[in-house]
Amino acid sequence: GAAGRRWCSSPVVAKGVVQRGDWAVRADVLGQYAVLGKVKLTGLVAFTCSVGFAAAGGPVMSLAHAGVVGGCFLQSMSANTFNQVAEREYDKLMKRTDRRPMVKGTITPQQALTVGTAELAAGTTMLYLVEPTSAALGVACWALYVHCYTPMKRIHWLNTWVGAIVGALPPMMGTAAAGAGVLSPISLFLGGFLYFWQIPHFMSLCYLNRRDYKAAGFQMLSSIDTHRAGLFSIKYAVYTTAVATALPLYYGLASPFFVAESLAGGVYFTYASYLFMNEPLRNARRLFLISIAYLPIVLVLLLVHSPHINLNLSPKLLCPMATAN
């Protein structure tokens, strides 16, 4: 009644309603920018960077670790944001992307570019303070993703191999921040493992989304020549397994237990790729899910069996030279 209307219109209550509304709006805006930066994918990218840092002997409990992971995270968010700005007209044509922020109009391209630029600047600064080489690798990774991989998706199916380079660099940013050389065994192992792993992973993913990619005009091998995509999946699954077993064994990057576990996982990964080649319609999702599980399992096992993990508390921003060189 009238008393209820007077209570709701009181300054205190009205202010409380407005405040709750403001927080809801702010949370929604942050959520939209998280979608713009593909925060889940970015989290995986930052995780591979963290593994590189730890496996190369960098002090896990240090500001350097936080700095390189945070910088990598921000650079990845920026790259994904710029990617969505460039592909906003094509995202409208695909069911898997037609609800993205710029397609819905909740974020303008100018707003996205402003935030993406700020993320790139902040992330690069954080990386530079830890290790300039990591910052340089990060900028190269960003440029390759935004200016090469993104436009190449509409030109040639070799874009997947360019994108694989992008995915291989973050763990090397981590190893560089820990003091290991870019061409050190641990850097080559992690970079090679991530590079080869991505081909079967993306061949299965692209097959699952082949209709969307075709509608947007993206050139993906899985929708152009599925059998050839299957052959590449088997070949690169074998390469992935070889890198994940031979290099750690030869250079002593992890214990023999890791080599055995990695070999078992790699054989199953290769088998899933074989099934995908023979019956893609039936086995594409299987390969995709196995690839998603295989990657973090191998990386976690590496940390468990690595002799170079440094758990000493180090408040210093710049970290000492790695023991794994």
Short mmCIF file of all heavy atoms in Angstrom, two decimals, residues 117-143:
data_model
loop_
_atom_site.label_atom_id
_atom_site.label_comp_id
_atom_site.label_asym_id
_atom_site.label_seq_id
_atom_site.Cartn_x
_atom_site.Cartn_y
_atom_site.Cartn_z
N THR A 117 44.46 -2.89 -25.82
CA THR A 117 45.74 -2.16 -25.83
C THR A 117 46.30 -2.01 -24.43
O THR A 117 47.50 -2.18 -24.20
CB THR A 117 45.56 -0.78 -26.47
OG1 THR A 117 45.07 -0.93 -27.82
CG2 THR A 117 46.87 -0.01 -26.50
N ALA A 118 45.41 -1.71 -23.47
CA ALA A 118 45.84 -1.58 -22.08
C ALA A 118 46.36 -2.91 -21.55
O ALA A 118 47.38 -2.96 -20.83
CB ALA A 118 44.68 -1.08 -21.22
N GLU A 119 45.68 -4.00 -21.90
CA GLU A 119 46.13 -5.33 -21.46
C GLU A 119 47.50 -5.67 -22.05
O GLU A 119 48.37 -6.20 -21.35
CB GLU A 119 45.11 -6.38 -21.88
CG GLU A 119 43.80 -6.32 -21.12
CD GLU A 119 42.72 -7.19 -21.72
OE1 GLU A 119 42.81 -7.50 -22.93
OE2 GLU A 119 41.78 -7.56 -20.98
N LEU A 120 47.69 -5.34 -23.31
CA LEU A 120 48.98 -5.62 -23.96
C LEU A 120 50.09 -4.82 -23.30
O LEU A 120 51.17 -5.35 -23.00
CB LEU A 120 48.90 -5.28 -25.44
CG LEU A 120 50.21 -5.43 -26.24
CD1 LEU A 120 50.70 -6.86 -26.21
CD2 LEU A 120 50.02 -4.94 -27.67
N ALA A 121 49.83 -3.54 -23.03
CA ALA A 121 50.85 -2.68 -22.42
C ALA A 121 51.19 -3.15 -21.01
O ALA A 121 52.37 -3.26 -20.64
CB ALA A 121 50.36 -1.23 -22.39
N ALA A 122 50.16 -3.47 -20.23
CA ALA A 122 50.39 -3.91 -18.85
C ALA A 122 51.10 -5.26 -18.82
O ALA A 122 52.04 -5.47 -18.04
CB ALA A 122 49.06 -3.99 -18.10
N GLY A 123 50.65 -6.19 -19.66
CA GLY A 123 51.26 -7.52 -19.68
C GLY A 123 52.71 -7.48 -20.12
O GLY A 123 53.57 -8.15 -19.54
N THR A 124 52.99 -6.68 -21.15
CA THR A 124 54.37 -6.58 -21.65
C THR A 124 55.28 -5.93 -20.60
O THR A 124 56.43 -6.36 -20.42
CB THR A 124 54.40 -5.75 -22.95
OG1 THR A 124 53.53 -6.37 -23.91
CG2 THR A 124 55.81 -5.68 -23.51
N THR A 125 54.77 -4.94 -19.90
CA THR A 125 55.55 -4.29 -18.84
C THR A 125 55.89 -5.28 -17.73
O THR A 125 57.04 -5.34 -17.25
CB THR A 125 54.79 -3.10 -18.26
OG1 THR A 125 54.52 -2.15 -19.31
CG2 THR A 125 55.59 -2.42 -17.16
N MET A 126 54.89 -6.06 -17.31
CA MET A 126 55.12 -7.05 -16.26
C MET A 126 56.19 -8.05 -16.69
O MET A 126 57.09 -8.39 -15.92
CB MET A 126 53.81 -7.77 -15.93
CG MET A 126 52.78 -6.90 -15.23
SD MET A 126 51.19 -7.74 -15.00
CE MET A 126 51.65 -9.00 -13.82
N LEU A 127 56.08 -8.52 -17.92
CA LEU A 127 57.06 -9.49 -18.42
C LEU A 127 58.46 -8.88 -18.52
O LEU A 127 59.46 -9.53 -18.19
CB LEU A 127 56.62 -10.01 -19.80
CG LEU A 127 55.42 -10.95 -19.80
CD1 LEU A 127 54.89 -11.14 -21.21
CD2 LEU A 127 55.80 -12.30 -19.19
N TYR A 128 58.52 -7.64 -18.96
CA TYR A 128 59.82 -6.97 -19.12
C TYR A 128 60.52 -6.81 -17.77
O TYR A 128 61.75 -6.94 -17.67
CB TYR A 128 59.64 -5.61 -19.78
CG TYR A 128 60.95 -4.91 -20.07
CD1 TYR A 128 61.69 -5.22 -21.21
CD2 TYR A 128 61.46 -3.95 -19.19
CE1 TYR A 128 62.90 -4.60 -21.48
CE2 TYR A 128 62.67 -3.32 -19.44
CZ TYR A 128 63.38 -3.65 -20.58
OH TYR A 128 64.59 -3.04 -20.85
N LEU A 129 59.74 -6.53 -16.73
CA LEU A 129 60.32 -6.37 -15.40
C LEU A 129 60.91 -7.69 -14.89
O LEU A 129 61.84 -7.68 -14.08
CB LEU A 129 59.27 -5.85 -14.42
CG LEU A 129 58.82 -4.40 -14.63
CD1 LEU A 129 57.66 -4.06 -13.70
CD2 LEU A 129 59.99 -3.45 -14.42
N VAL A 130 60.36 -8.79 -15.34
CA VAL A 130 60.88 -10.10 -14.94
C VAL A 130 62.05 -10.51 -15.82
O VAL A 130 63.12 -10.87 -15.34
CB VAL A 130 59.76 -11.17 -14.99
CG1 VAL A 130 60.33 -12.56 -14.65
CG2 VAL A 130 58.63 -10.82 -14.04
N GLU A 131 61.82 -10.48 -17.14
CA GLU A 131 62.86 -10.92 -18.09
C GLU A 131 62.52 -10.36 -19.47
O GLU A 131 61.49 -10.72 -20.05
CB GLU A 131 62.92 -12.45 -18.14
CG GLU A 131 63.80 -13.03 -19.22
CD GLU A 131 65.22 -12.48 -19.21
OE1 GLU A 131 65.87 -12.55 -18.14
OE2 GLU A 131 65.67 -11.99 -20.25
N PRO A 132 63.35 -9.47 -20.02
CA PRO A 132 63.08 -8.88 -21.34
C PRO A 132 62.86 -9.91 -22.45
O PRO A 132 62.06 -9.68 -23.36
CB PRO A 132 64.33 -8.04 -21.60
CG PRO A 132 64.82 -7.68 -20.24
CD PRO A 132 64.55 -8.87 -19.39
N THR A 133 63.56 -11.05 -22.37
CA THR A 133 63.37 -12.07 -23.40
C THR A 133 61.94 -12.60 -23.39
O THR A 133 61.34 -12.82 -24.45
CB THR A 133 64.35 -13.24 -23.18
OG1 THR A 133 65.68 -12.76 -23.20
CG2 THR A 133 64.18 -14.31 -24.26
N SER A 134 61.39 -12.77 -22.19
CA SER A 134 60.00 -13.22 -22.08
C SER A 134 59.05 -12.19 -22.68
O SER A 134 58.07 -12.54 -23.35
CB SER A 134 59.64 -13.49 -20.62
OG SER A 134 60.43 -14.51 -20.08
N ALA A 135 59.34 -10.92 -22.43
CA ALA A 135 58.50 -9.86 -22.99
C ALA A 135 58.56 -9.86 -24.51
O ALA A 135 57.53 -9.72 -25.20
CB ALA A 135 58.95 -8.50 -22.45
N ALA A 136 59.76 -10.06 -25.06
CA ALA A 136 59.92 -10.09 -26.51
C ALA A 136 59.19 -11.28 -27.12
O ALA A 136 58.52 -11.14 -28.17
CB ALA A 136 61.40 -10.14 -26.87
N LEU A 137 59.29 -12.44 -26.48
CA LEU A 137 58.57 -13.61 -26.97
C LEU A 137 57.06 -13.39 -26.91
O LEU A 137 56.32 -13.79 -27.82
CB LEU A 137 58.94 -14.84 -26.13
CG LEU A 137 60.33 -15.44 -26.35
CD1 LEU A 137 60.60 -16.54 -25.32
CD2 LEU A 137 60.45 -16.01 -27.77
N GLY A 138 56.61 -12.72 -25.86
CA GLY A 138 55.19 -12.44 -25.71
C GLY A 138 54.66 -11.51 -26.79
O GLY A 138 53.59 -11.73 -27.35
N VAL A 139 55.42 -10.47 -27.08
CA VAL A 139 55.02 -9.53 -28.13
C VAL A 139 55.01 -10.23 -29.49
O VAL A 139 54.10 -10.03 -30.31
CB VAL A 139 55.95 -8.31 -28.15
CG1 VAL A 139 55.68 -7.44 -29.38
CG2 VAL A 139 55.77 -7.49 -26.88
N ALA A 140 56.01 -11.06 -29.74
CA ALA A 140 56.06 -11.82 -30.99
C ALA A 140 54.86 -12.77 -31.10
O ALA A 140 54.25 -12.90 -32.17
CB ALA A 140 57.36 -12.61 -31.08
N CYS A 141 54.52 -13.40 -30.00
CA CYS A 141 53.38 -14.30 -29.95
C CYS A 141 52.09 -13.54 -30.25
O CYS A 141 51.25 -13.98 -31.04
CB CYS A 141 53.31 -14.97 -28.58
SG CYS A 141 52.05 -16.23 -28.40
N TRP A 142 51.92 -12.38 -29.63
CA TRP A 142 50.75 -11.53 -29.84
C TRP A 142 50.65 -11.11 -31.30
O TRP A 142 49.57 -11.21 -31.92
CB TRP A 142 50.85 -10.30 -28.93
CG TRP A 142 49.67 -9.38 -28.97
CD1 TRP A 142 48.60 -9.39 -28.13
CD2 TRP A 142 49.43 -8.31 -29.91
NE1 TRP A 142 47.71 -8.40 -28.47
CE2 TRP A 142 48.20 -7.72 -29.56
CE3 TRP A 142 50.14 -7.80 -30.99
CZ2 TRP A 142 47.66 -6.65 -30.27
CZ3 TRP A 142 49.60 -6.74 -31.70
CH2 TRP A 142 48.38 -6.16 -31.34
N ALA A 143 51.74 -10.65 -31.87
CA ALA A 143 51.74 -10.16 -33.25
C ALA A 143 51.45 -11.30 -34.23
O ALA A 143 50.70 -11.13 -35.20
CB ALA A 143 53.09 -9.53 -33.58
#
